[in-house]
Amino acid sequence: MFSQEFQATYQEIKTTGERLLQYLREFRASRIREGDDTKGLQSVENDIVNAINALKAQKYQVAVIAPMKAGKSTFLNALIGADILASETAACTVCRTDILHIDSGKPQLLEYRVGQKQPAVIAEGDAGEIVHKFLDRTHEIRDRANPDRVKYFELRHPIEAISRYPSLAGFTLVDTPGPNEWKTASFDTTSLKETALEALRTCDAILFLLDYTSFRDEAASDLFKELLENRKEFLVENTGKIFFILNKVDMHSEKDRPISDVITGIKRDLIKFGFSNPVIYPVSARKGLWAKLIMQGSATDSVKKDFRKFFGGAYAEEDEEGGSYIPPNSKIAPKALEDSKIPAIENTVIQTIIQNSGWNLLDGVCGKLDKAAKAIEDKLNTEIRGWEIELKDLQAKIEEYKRRSELARSKVENVKNFVKKKEQELIERFSQEIAHFAEQAKHRIQALFDRFAESRKAKNPLSDPLGWVKQSIDSFFQQVLPFVFDSAKSGSDPYKIQVYNKSEAQEIWKAINTFCRPVIKDWWVDTQARLIRDGTQIQKELASEIQSQIQAISNELSSYLKESLEIKLNPNPIQFPSFELPTIDDQIQRQQEAYTRYKNVTKYRNETRYKTKSRKVEGGFCESDRYENYEDPYTVQVPYTDTIGKTAYRDLYEVDLRQTAQAFKDKIDEQVVGSREMLQRVVEKQVITHFRGAEQQINDYINKFQADFDQLLVERETKEAKAEQIRQSLEAEKVVLDSHIQNLGTIGKSLQAWKPRQ
């Protein structure tokens, strides 16, 4: 069990870091009183502060992904230890919901919207009110197609299991929508898929929830097909953080086959999907939740009755007369909680987090603090030696250091040029991927309209719908627009749909957009997911190269100082701890938010651009410009011609599918330009972040010694008479500092001793 080691090591690092910071601030204060501004130590102090803050600010995210009706809300409630998330039969998860653990304070439900930095408070305090308002808000978003452009919800609430681990204060449960919820939502469903894919990439543990009562249904298969198809490398890299929960096992009856046999069958299916050794936990979330509520004393009367009704019999005991009785709920609840397997899941999740993100954080923070402490030691050693060398020799060595420093800076500039070249290579590589997406999408769109025209020419729906379309073309158009197959109005050209009035033409326009837009966006989501995955790997390789080149420059400078001054000098490790570097997902989100804020400003400055207005396009009428703004980049204006002929009863209007297909192709090209620009900004930001991080570290190193040398020369010229007294004071400072360095060394060895196998 790593939890005890993690807790203890976390506290040791935190305490040592705070003491080191206090030592440095007191040391600087005393030196400032003596006339030394100690500006060379400012970056060292900043590093210590950032490292300590990282311990407190680190987020640990666990994603829960499930088909609809798998009992996800009940399962999440069981983990939380409160009946705070509403459960209902309809698709309920319309946005990502982050359940953030809090130690104290009122529970709150917050809503984050596109283009707004501050969240809106939906409800707080009473659990019943939060449930009610959360459900109402979910219905409103679904029914009105998300008019407020809500990105995600955040529920701030104590999570029972985490309350025992103060070192995991940043723990968050991530509730993501499942595949069949994508399909039932009436708004931008591809954003839900995008949310789930992002969770797969960024979360520390992933729980796939399956429904025992319908584990072989299409929804469970869709869950893996949609998320994991063509992502085999993801499974290989993340096998250790993926777990499967078979929920509702309390529904098992005597006539059903054993649960163990069911799990064996599920394992067989999961292996076919690419999971090499899937871990499956049989769970009763309902039993676990009710048991927790009873143990907390917060169960309602109905929960108490249901708990006894459904689960009490399993815990009956024999009385003195040989009969049986059911003990009080409070007595059987602990055993029921254990049997629910909820505690086993909690323990597994916590151990997984500790063995991955948790250990990496502690190792990174410890390394950062150790580097800072040794930077202070280097300053003390340099000053002590500086008081021992003849002033003339010291001045000569300092002049040579300045020359070598400038040489080091020029070498850093060469690394910068190398990085710039790599950046352009990355941009070009990803641009080619986007261009490939565009060509494939345009080809598919054309094929879609060609196949539809063929079906109209034959006066019957498609008998062999395209395999890459999630909803067959024929059933869609016949359901929404049955009159498009009417032979009286099909004409000689199957690409031209003739209808009786403008409203029918507009219905066609809306139907085509309703069908085509999400299909194209879905292709783009898959493309983007691949780009992010590849980009993350390339980013790691490039970061390693930058680190290696800058490290060589730093080592060369360190060697000169060590040999020239004849002192002990610590290496200056160029570090890229994970808590300092944003992921590509983070960078994309930041760029999108910045773009959205810019568009909002533009909107208010030029409001008329976004007002609904009518206009002519190729002789036809288009309903509104509002569908062409940045929110719906794949919505097109479908042109149609007014009054192309008359029947005995009314005018005829014509929609040209060739022009419509071309309109979608043009829209794809427009979006590709925007995506390429976004990608370029993301790549530049990511590469610059890595390079600047390394550049800053060596500049801090150079500047620290330069500041120390400058101050040393001043003191040598003005305080030569106090040389021995100053040396003794520096030696005393070293003794205190050595205790901090030794503590960090001990912690580092302890970390390595329980380093989990990756």
Side-chain angles (χ1 to χ4, degrees), residues 56 58 82 153 262 267 270 306 344 355 367 381 388 489 526 563 626 657 718 724 737 739 742 746 751:
K56 303 172 184 176
Q58 177 73 358
F153 294 104
V262 174
K267 278 188 176 182
L270 290 174
D306 287 341
Q355 293 176 52
N381 285 336
E388 296 172 344
K489 301 192 297 297
D526 287 335
E563 294 169 7
R626 65 189 170 90
L657 295 182
T718 59
E724 185 58 29
L737 179 64
S739 66
Q742 289 174 10
T746 302
L751 269 171

Side-chain angles (χ1 to χ4, degrees), residues 207-407:
L207 307 180
F208 285 112
L209 194 66
L210 306 176
D211 183 353
Y212 166 76
T213 63
S214 58
F215 63 89
R216 285 191 180 277
D217 69 8
E218 191 175 311
S221 297
D222 284 350
L223 181 120
F224 302 114
K225 286 179 182 177
E226 293 283 1
L227 289 178
L228 302 174
E229 195 170 20
N230 302 320
R231 295 181 175 87
K232 300 298 183 185
E233 68 288 343
F234 170 83
L235 299 181
V236 172
E237 294 171 4
N238 296 278
T239 298
K241 70 176 188 179
I242 298 175
F243 305 95
F244 300 91
I245 315 299
L246 183 62
N247 192 25
K248 303 183 184 179
V249 294
D250 52 284
M251 304 294 286
H252 177 268
S253 65
E254 292 184 2
K255 64 180 180 180
D256 296 332
R257 61 189 179 126
I259 296 290
S260 58
D261 290 352
V262 174
I263 290 177
T264 299
I266 295 175
K267 278 188 176 182
R268 192 182 308 116
D269 292 341
L270 290 174
I271 289 171
K272 291 178 182 177
F273 275 108
F275 297 95
S276 58
N277 186 28
V279 179
I280 303 173
Y281 289 87
V283 165
S284 171
R286 182 174 59 164
K287 179 191 285 188
L289 172 61
W290 289 350
K292 280 190 176 184
L293 295 177
I294 289 169
M295 292 168 66
Q296 295 167 5
S298 58
T300 62
D301 289 340
S302 62
V303 166
K304 294 174 184 177
K305 290 178 182 178
D306 287 341
F307 178 77
R308 199 164 188 81
K309 173 183 176 182
F310 289 104
F311 305 117
Y315 301 97
E317 296 181 2
E318 186 174 332
D319 59 25
E320 296 177 354
E321 298 178 357
S324 65
Y325 74 101
I326 299 176
N329 286 348
S330 58
K331 184 176 180 180
I332 63 177
K335 176 60 175 171
L337 176 60
E338 182 182 348
D339 292 344
S340 74
K341 294 296 187 288
I342 290 295
I345 293 295
E346 293 170 338
N347 183 64
T348 296
V349 167
I350 289 170
Q351 295 301 318
T352 299
I353 287 175
I354 288 172
Q355 293 176 52
N356 293 284
S357 301
W359 190 91
N360 291 336
L361 173 69
L362 297 187
D363 186 56
V365 171
C366 188
K368 199 79 171 175
L369 294 175
D370 185 65
K371 178 180 177 178
K374 288 176 178 175
I376 304 171
E377 183 183 43
D378 287 344
K379 174 182 174 61
L380 294 174
N381 285 336
T382 302
E383 289 190 8
I384 290 170
R385 181 59 179 153
W387 283 98
E388 296 172 344
I389 301 175
E390 290 292 330
L391 182 58
K392 244 180 163 180
D393 288 345
L394 178 62
Q395 290 171 332
K397 292 179 188 298
I398 290 174
E399 285 302 313
E400 176 63 15
Y401 173 77
K402 288 180 180 179
R403 189 187 70 80
R404 291 183 181 248
S405 295
E406 290 306 310
L407 181 61

Side-chain angles (χ1 to χ4, degrees), residues 161-193:
I162 303 304
S163 62
R164 301 190 295 272
Y165 297 90
S167 52
L168 297 179
F171 184 89
T172 302
L173 285 169
V174 180
D175 180 9
T176 62
N180 44 2
E181 289 178 305
W182 309 341
K183 296 173 184 177
T184 57
S186 60
F187 56 98
D188 183 5
T189 58
T190 52
S191 65
L192 302 183
K193 177 179 179 180

Side-chain angles (χ1 to χ4, degrees), residues 646-665:
K646 291 182 178 288
T647 67
Y649 304 102
R650 65 185 89 174
D651 296 339
L652 283 178
Y653 296 82
E654 186 174 82
V655 175
D656 192 326
L657 295 182
R658 291 186 183 90
Q659 293 179 357
T660 302
Q662 186 58 49
F664 274 107
K665 293 177 186 178

